[in-house]
């Protein structure tokens, strides 16, 4: 056995088998590779609107205090969120992105003795955090690309500790009706935690706010983020809302200063900037219409999406199309790793970015 095999075998079995998360290709990387200057990235469901000027101002004001540790309790941001959501601050847990919350949930509640239920085509982080702690994943076949909650309920057994539901789901954009979700929650044993990942909540035009269900379902944990509609992906702020007892447990596991001080003030400013959010949602609605009209024109099927992205079916291997788009300076997301090798996921951008993507896709498809 070589030295590197010996070193590798020191890791937990689950970690040895992990396949790292594949992020969207960074613009700088494509620039280095191809020497292109005009690059658009519609690959990571970021907000193309750019940073809110109110956020920039808040960060600038906080710069002189960077020698101090951040407020490890996140007091001010939690107070603002609690008022915004009409919950108590002790129901909130702040994370370095909602990704960190997903990881905290795994470290707090999972072990090699338990299993986790989630859907096929669901967000890639669920299998990662499950496997990293050695728990078993029960992946349930999707129904029309969405979560099949009846099959998911049937997959829950006496060893199930947690269920992940992405609503809307990434990369499919599918969303569940409130009545369906509530029926699932009613059917779930109280000893099974239900994590409702609402990273795209602000875009989703949800009929009901699941935060109002928390008093009825003590095993419900809702996660949300500032990365998507609030435009703070680069700063990493997410949070969960749940029963205070569960929040207390998560708090024991998290790093004491998991949110840096600039992220904390930025999120607070972003939460107050209602105009930015409204502008974001309006831009997303019109951009979604722009893209789907183009797909229609090109004779391509797409999955109706409640997020700030849409997955289109190219009816052939998507990878060559993805690569041809890169040559034209357009970065989108191939999703073969989600068992969707014929789809590309496109994040909704500004109107001119969407137009550049449509022109590039039209040219690539005509060439092939
Ligand atoms: C983007 C995303 C997240 C987390 O993003 P953070 O930047 O870590 O907050 C969580 N869930 C889904 C489904 C996502 O698409």
């Amino acid at each position: 056995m070589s030295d590197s095999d010996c070193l590798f075998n020191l890791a937990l079995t689950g970690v040895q088998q992990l396949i790292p998360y594949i992020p969207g290709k960074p613009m700088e990387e494509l620039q280095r590779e191809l020497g292109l200057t005009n690059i658009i990235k519609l690959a990571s469901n970021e907000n193309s609107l750019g940073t809110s000027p109110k956020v920039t101002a808040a960060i600038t004001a906080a710069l002189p205090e960077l020698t101090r540790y951040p407020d490890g309790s996140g007091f001010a941001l939690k107070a603002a969120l609690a008022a915004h959501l009409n919950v108590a601050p002790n129901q909130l847990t702040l994370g370095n992105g909602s990704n960190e919350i997903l990881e905290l949930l795994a470290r707090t509640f999972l072990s090699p003795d338990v299993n986790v239920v989630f859907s096929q085509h669901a967000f890639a982080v669920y299998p990662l955090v499950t496997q990293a702690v050695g728990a078993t994943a029960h992946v349930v076949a999707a129904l029309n690309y969405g979560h099949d909650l009846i099959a998911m309920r049937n997959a829950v057994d006496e060893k199930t500790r947690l269920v992940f539901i992405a609503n809307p789901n990434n990369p499919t954009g599918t969303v569940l009706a409130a009545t369906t979700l509530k029926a699932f929650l009613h059917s779930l044993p109280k000893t099974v935690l239900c994590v409702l990942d609402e990273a795209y909540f602000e875009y989703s035009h949800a009929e009901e706010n699941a935060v109002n269900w928390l008093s009825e379902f003590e095993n419900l944990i809702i996660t949300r983020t500032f990365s998507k509609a609030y435009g703070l992906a680069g700063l990493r702020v997410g949070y969960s809302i749940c029963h205070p007892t569960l929040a207390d447990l998560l708090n024991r596991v998290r790093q004491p200063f998991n949110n840096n001080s600039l992220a904390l003030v930025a999120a607070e400013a972003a939460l107050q900037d209602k105009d930015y959010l409204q502008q974001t949602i309006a831009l997303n609605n019109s951009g979604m219409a722009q893209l789907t009209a183009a797909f229609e024109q090109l004779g391509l099927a797409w999955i109706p999406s409640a997020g700030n992205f849409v997955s289109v079916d190219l009816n052939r291997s998507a990878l060559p199309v993805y690569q041809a788009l890169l040559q034209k300076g357009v970065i989108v997301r191939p999703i073969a790793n989600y068992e969707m090798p014929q789809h590309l996921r496109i994040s909704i951008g500004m109107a001119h970015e969407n137009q550049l993507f449509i022109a590039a896709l039209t040219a690539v498809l005509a060439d092939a």
Side-chain angles (χ1 to χ4, degrees):
M1 215 195 280
S2 75
D3 284 356
S4 85
D5 285 336
C6 285
L7 295 173
F8 189 81
N9 289 334
L10 295 175
L12 299 176
T13 315
V15 174
Q16 291 181 30
Q17 290 160 355
L18 279 182
I19 299 165
Y21 180 83
I22 312 165
K25 194 178 186 69
M27 297 165 89
E28 296 76 11
E29 191 178 299
L30 187 63
Q31 208 153 359
R32 277 199 306 274
E33 288 171 2
L34 297 182
L36 297 173
T37 45
N38 230 343
I39 290 173
I40 61 161
K41 182 184 176 200
L42 302 174
S44 298
N45 301 344
E46 295 149 341
N47 191 329
S48 279
L49 204 50
T51 312
S52 148
K54 295 192 171 133
V55 167
T56 311
I59 288 175
T60 308
L63 285 175
E65 295 302 326
L66 289 184
T67 53
R68 304 286 173 195
Y69 276 101
D71 174 4
S73 74
F75 178 87
L77 177 57
K78 277 192 190 171
L81 276 171
H84 175 71
L85 299 164
N86 196 23
V87 298
N90 67 0
Q91 293 181 266
L92 297 167
T93 305
L94 302 178
N96 199 263
S98 56
N99 246 296
E100 190 195 14
I101 304 275
L102 302 174
E103 205 175 291
L104 284 177
L105 286 163
R107 288 171 55 212
T108 306
F109 297 107
L110 303 182
S111 69
D113 309 326
V114 304
N115 70 58
V116 178
V117 172
F118 53 85
S119 176
Q120 179 194 18
H121 310 312
F123 188 44
V125 169
Y126 311 151
L128 279 179
V129 300
T130 300
Q131 210 175 308
V133 296
T136 305
H138 284 185
V139 185
V140 176
L143 184 67
N144 298 325
Y145 295 109
H147 291 29
D148 182 345
L149 288 189
I150 294 184
M152 287 176 73
R153 173 62 188 89
N154 289 335
V156 170
D157 61 26
E158 64 287 345
K159 287 195 164 177
T160 304
R161 180 61 51 85
L162 194 149
V163 179
F164 283 116
I165 294 178
N167 200 50
N169 181 44
N170 170 19
T172 59
T174 51
V175 72
L176 293 155
T179 47
T180 316
L181 256 177
K182 274 178 121 168
F184 176 82
L185 287 166
H186 273 294
S187 78
L188 201 63
K190 297 212 174 319
T191 51
V192 178
L193 298 171
C194 180
V195 178
L196 189 61
D197 178 346
E198 296 192 325
Y200 302 95
F201 171 77
E202 294 79 10
Y203 289 112
S204 68
H205 308 288
E207 338 148 52
E208 279 190 53
N209 193 336
V211 172
N212 298 325
W213 308 343
L214 285 165
S215 51
E216 192 177 352
F217 304 107
E218 297 190 337
N219 54 344
L220 174 63
I221 299 156
I222 299 165
T223 63
R224 291 188 187 168
T225 182
F226 283 92
S227 296
K228 306 285 162 59
Y230 288 102
L232 294 185
L235 279 175
R236 319 300 305 126
V237 193
Y239 59 96
S240 63
I241 322 148
C242 60
H243 191 281
T245 301
L246 299 178
D248 171 52
L249 290 164
L250 294 174
N251 192 47
R252 294 171 193 217
V253 176
R254 80 172 171 88
Q255 281 185 45
F257 304 107
N258 59 335
N259 289 106
N260 71 69
S261 41
L262 301 184
L264 288 170
V265 295
E268 209 186 328
L271 193 63
Q272 313 304 341
D273 195 347
K274 308 264 191 257
D275 289 344
Y276 180 89
L277 188 63
Q278 287 319 309
Q279 214 185 326
T280 293
I281 292 166
L283 203 65
N284 195 56
N285 291 340
S286 60
M288 186 70 82
Q290 186 185 4
L291 285 187
T292 53
F295 296 152
E296 178 98 60
Q297 195 95 75
L298 290 165
L300 299 173
W302 69 92
I303 308 170
S305 169
N308 67 337
F309 56 89
V310 57
S311 287
V312 62
D313 186 353
L314 300 177
N315 209 16
R316 61 161 124 163
S317 174
L319 204 59
V321 177
Y322 163 71
Q323 280 156 345
L325 288 170
L326 286 182
Q327 296 297 320
K328 294 182 180 296
V330 176
I331 311 174
V332 296
R333 192 73 160 263
I335 47 176
N337 57 326
Y338 285 93
E339 297 182 31
M340 296 170 70
Q342 304 210 333
H343 283 81
L344 285 179
R345 191 195 69 190
I346 298 96
S347 306
I348 310 299
M350 307 289 277
H352 70 276
E353 295 174 312
N354 300 333
Q355 193 43 53
L356 280 170
F357 159 73
I358 291 166
L361 180 68
T362 306
V364 167
L365 292 179
D367 260 8

